[in-house]
Amino acid sequence: MSKLRINIVLFGIGNVGSTLINQVIESQKFFLEKRNIDLRFPIITNSSLAFFEKEGLKNQWEANFAQSAIPFKLEDIIEYVQEQQLENLIAIDATASSEIIKSYIPLIQNGFNIVAANKKANTLHNDFYQELRRNLKKFEKTFLYETNVGAGLPVVQTINDLHFSGEKITKIRGVFSGSLSYIFNRFSSEETSFSNILIDAEKIGLTEPDSREDLSGNDVARKLLILAREIEQQFEFDDIKIESLLLPELNEKNSKAQYAINKSFFDKPFNIAKITQADNHVLRYVGEFDVVSKRLEVKLVSVPKSSPLGQLKGADNLIEIYTKSYGEIPIVIQGAGAGKEVTARGVLTDILKISDKIKIKETVWS
């Protein structure tokens, strides 16, 4: 059987996007030998420039992009793939942009499947969420986003599989943020100030570029909303009760500079929360969806050290899925919940799933 060429248009060459390209290059021979799939990047973009594949360029992709990238519009990308008669198209959204979401439906209508590390398409108003899926069905395209929750962990797929096998999910609860897991795991076990640990998390790239996005609880809330919608619950972001970790004197209203120099304001309230909890308890920041009472909450809780959540280490995520069949014993998914390598690997897994789907389709039609 001839090899199947998959044409990937990559939006975003930051941490995740650049790591993804390098993972593909590193494993290209393996995918050809083991799966008969040739993954190619005819177009790579950042927020304003795009590099369109050119014959004869033998440099590394970073050098090619730096030398030959040009300003672009979505129409240029669609026109290019049509002119080059590129098939088996996958658009990868490795950005955190709200703007690119507007391109999803036009891309689907022009032959693209989509893989997104970006959570925003799945947390916009339910009207857009449903319209996106109507177009996927109409144009027989696939949209995968496993990395939206838990980086490379199989959370979305597991919940989707359970729901569509007829299993009744009763509750979803867990630590969904790698950055906040790291912060509270260290804060619980070390005699170090909250602000120092937060600064360390920023330095090693565990938080968003502005860590207020993590501390606001919005990121955890988005992940909870994505999972609620996976089991066909039609909630909006505003339906989630969010207990922000930000303070009245240290929140989104401050300038970035003010926020940067005043992080020590966090120390007193978090230290009080730490010393006033019950013995052998630790603080954890959780998202919880009680399916029965239809309540979605993001909050700081105190849990026994001996509990699964209490034993978390590093930047691990831990998600508990309670179902009718399993009763009081949840299905537990635990592992690295942050980091460019695991996120890029999760995106690559989604690419390969779509590639296999295309291969099956081609086999049926040939």
Side-chain angles (χ1 to χ4, degrees):
M1 217 177 129
S2 60
K3 69 184 178 188
L4 179 72
R5 177 171 175 175
I6 301 293
N7 290 294
I8 300 166
V9 175
L10 175 63
F11 294 93
I13 50 172
N15 284 338
V16 173
S18 57
T19 305
L20 172 67
I21 297 173
N22 293 329
Q23 285 180 353
V24 169
I25 291 168
E26 191 181 291
S27 302
Q28 206 142 27
K29 192 179 173 197
F30 177 84
F31 295 144
L32 275 167
E33 286 176 2
K34 301 291 182 185
R35 306 178 81 123
N36 215 21
I37 289 170
D38 179 20
L39 299 178
R40 301 290 291 275
F41 291 89
I43 306 170
I44 55 177
T45 86
N46 63 17
S47 56
S48 57
L49 302 174
F51 170 71
F52 295 82
E53 194 174 54
K54 290 179 174 60
E55 290 298 324
L57 279 181
K58 300 296 181 191
N59 292 337
Q60 296 294 320
W61 70 266
E62 294 102 326
N64 290 340
F65 191 90
Q67 291 163 15
S68 305
I70 56 172
F72 78 100
K73 302 190 296 292
L74 181 68
E75 293 76 16
D76 302 326
I77 287 172
I78 290 168
E79 193 177 304
Y80 179 86
V81 300
Q82 288 172 348
E83 281 176 359
Q84 301 295 317
Q85 298 182 323
L86 300 181
E87 296 179 318
N88 308 325
L89 299 163
I90 305 178
I92 308 298
D93 181 1
T95 76
S97 164
S98 299
E99 277 302 300
I100 196 172
I101 308 304
K102 299 170 187 172
S103 303
Y104 281 20
I105 290 173
L107 284 166
I108 291 162
Q109 292 169 342
N110 283 278
F112 283 86
N113 300 280
I114 297 178
V115 172
N118 188 347
K119 293 181 273 292
K120 290 180 179 169
N122 284 321
T123 55
L124 289 178
H125 194 279
N126 205 50
D127 289 347
F128 175 80
Y129 185 89
Q130 298 301 340
E131 181 63 19
L132 180 60
R133 279 148 182 82
R134 277 192 291 273
N135 276 275
L136 288 163
K137 192 172 180 182
K138 180 179 177 183
F139 292 92
E140 297 181 329
K141 297 300 167 192
T142 302
F143 174 35
L144 295 182
Y145 41 89
E146 187 62 72
T147 56
N148 277 197
V149 182
L153 298 175
V155 181
V156 174
Q157 185 70 56
T158 301
I159 283 176
N160 194 283
D161 287 347
L162 283 166
H163 177 67
F164 286 101
S165 69
E167 179 62 273
K168 186 174 173 54
I169 294 172
T170 55
K171 185 162 73 173
I172 300 165
R173 176 178 186 256
V175 169
F176 291 94
S177 166
S179 54
L180 294 176
S181 179
Y182 171 86
I183 289 166
F184 282 107
N185 293 344
R186 278 193 59 192
F187 187 60
S188 296
S189 61
E190 299 177 19
E191 294 303 316
T192 312
S193 70
F194 186 89
S195 58
N196 281 343
I197 298 169
L198 173 59
I199 290 163
D200 286 348
E202 291 172 336
K203 280 179 185 168
I204 60 178
L206 278 178
T207 68
E208 296 291 332
D210 184 340
S211 60
R212 284 175 291 187
E213 180 62 23
D214 301 271
L215 296 170
S216 70
N218 291 340
D219 183 59
V220 174
R222 276 196 283 269
K223 292 170 183 175
L224 203 59
L225 179 61
I226 288 163
L227 297 183
R229 287 177 169 180
E230 282 301 299
I231 59 172
E232 301 183 285
Q233 300 287 318
Q234 297 194 4
F235 289 102
E236 300 291 357
F237 187 82
D238 291 344
D239 295 324
I240 305 170
K241 185 183 176 188
I242 303 170
E243 181 189 317
S244 172
L245 298 175
L246 295 170
L247 306 173
E249 65 270 39
L250 204 64
N251 56 35
E252 296 97 331
K253 291 174 185 170
N254 299 103
S255 70
K256 211 164 181 179
Q258 286 174 314
Y259 174 67
I261 61 172
N262 289 318
K263 290 195 176 85
S264 59
F265 287 179
F266 286 122
D267 293 340
K268 185 178 178 182
F270 281 110
N271 200 45
I272 290 169
K274 181 178 178 177
I275 62 176
T276 55
Q277 61 184 336
D279 289 345
N280 296 313
H281 275 58
V282 289
L283 297 171
R284 296 291 182 259
Y285 195 64
V286 303
E288 184 173 306
F289 173 33
D290 188 318
V291 184
V292 180
S293 65
K294 296 193 178 294
R295 191 175 69 247
L296 294 105
E297 291 181 285
V298 175
K299 57 192 175 181
L300 186 64
V301 297
S302 176
V303 299
K305 271 185 188 176
S306 57
S307 67
L309 286 174
Q311 293 180 54
L312 271 180
K313 299 278 188 275
D316 275 8
N317 281 187
L318 187 148
I319 292 91
E320 299 172 330
I321 306 163
Y322 291 83
T323 72
K324 188 179 179 184
S325 298
Y326 287 81
E328 291 302 306
I329 302 167
I331 298 164
V332 176
I333 300 171
Q334 180 178 354
K340 60 185 181 181
E341 285 85 7
V342 289
T343 305
R345 187 62 64 183
V347 169
L348 181 49
T349 301
D350 280 348
I351 291 169
L352 293 168
K353 282 181 184 174
I354 292 176
S355 302
D356 287 341
K357 210 170 171 181
I358 292 169
K359 195 194 285 184
I360 291 165
K361 207 171 181 180
E362 288 215 343
T363 307
V364 169
W365 284 101
S366 60

